[in-house]
Amino acid sequence: VLAALAQPPIMPKAIAQVDRLVEARTMSAASVQGLIVRAQHESALPKPEYHYGRHGEEFIDLGIQDATDFIDFFRKHLQRDDLRVFTYITTKDTQDRLWIFVGSDNGVVAQYNETKHTMWSFFRQMDAEKYLTSGRGWWVEAVGAEGGVRFEPW
């Protein structure tokens, strides 16, 4: 019982969005850019065999045939200059800060866990628009702007 009381409460999405928007807007332009560059230059996806086993079928029509192709595609995805970038606070008890890099054209998503300083997941949503809509009222979008990035509620 005491362990349960020590856990942060599950956070409603709307509150998480406001909190993340405030956090993001107080980050310096250099720290935001540094974080995004670090995430985009990740060359390792933790547990690649696990991620390929769980999500590999989602990539078959993109020519991905095995775990090696999957990791290569992961690296290339992160280097794209047309990714939409969002950040949010998980509403689970951990309340991690995540960044997602979404290819709107193919639904490919890379998740970076800022709290744990590691790539978190790599998967594909066949309906990218539906996936993006699921974050409305919860996520914060990082929009490129002159001199850096501005953050807007999604």
Side-chain angles (χ1 to χ4, degrees), residues 123-145:
F123 56 93
R124 185 175 184 204
Q125 292 290 317
M126 299 311 275
D127 187 341
E129 196 57 40
K130 182 178 178 182
Y131 177 68
L132 291 173
T133 300
S134 74
R136 287 245 181 233
W138 179 16
W139 299 350
V140 172
E141 185 169 18
V143 180

Side-chain angles (χ1 to χ4, degrees), residues 3 19-20 22 36 70 76 86 102 125 133 136 149 154:
D19 287 356
R20 189 58 176 154
V22 168
I36 291 172
F70 186 73
K76 289 175 185 167
F86 299 86
V102 181
Q125 292 290 317
T133 300
R136 287 245 181 233
V149 174
W154 174 243

Side-chain angles (χ1 to χ4, degrees), residues 1-117:
V1 174
L2 291 179
L5 294 175
Q7 298 286 338
I10 294 175
M11 182 182 288
K13 292 177 179 180
I15 293 172
Q17 183 185 50
V18 170
D19 287 356
R20 189 58 176 154
L21 186 60
V22 168
E23 288 175 0
R25 286 181 172 169
T26 60
M27 295 171 76
S28 71
S31 65
V32 170
Q33 192 61 32
L35 190 144
I36 291 172
V37 167
R38 269 193 315 279
Q40 288 183 313
H41 286 90
E42 281 285 332
S43 59
L45 178 65
K47 303 187 251 177
E49 294 293 335
Y50 164 81
H51 283 96
Y52 177 71
R54 183 165 177 154
H55 301 291
E57 287 185 17
E58 301 161 7
F59 291 82
I60 289 174
D61 66 314
L62 298 175
I64 307 308
Q65 301 298 317
D66 57 31
T68 301
D69 291 345
F70 186 73
I71 295 303
D72 288 344
F73 195 87
F74 160 75
R75 290 179 181 135
K76 289 175 185 167
H77 173 76
L78 287 172
Q79 296 305 308
R80 291 178 53 169
D81 60 5
D82 63 342
L83 297 175
R84 293 189 67 186
V85 179
F86 299 86
T87 184
Y88 65 99
I89 300 173
T90 61
T91 56
K92 297 177 182 175
D93 57 358
T94 58
Q95 297 179 4
D96 288 349
R97 276 58 180 165
L98 294 180
W99 293 76
I100 54 175
F101 301 86
V102 181
S104 296
D105 61 333
N106 61 10
V108 174
V109 178
Q111 288 183 331
Y112 178 77
N113 189 318
E114 175 186 356
T115 305
K116 294 181 172 58
H117 307 285

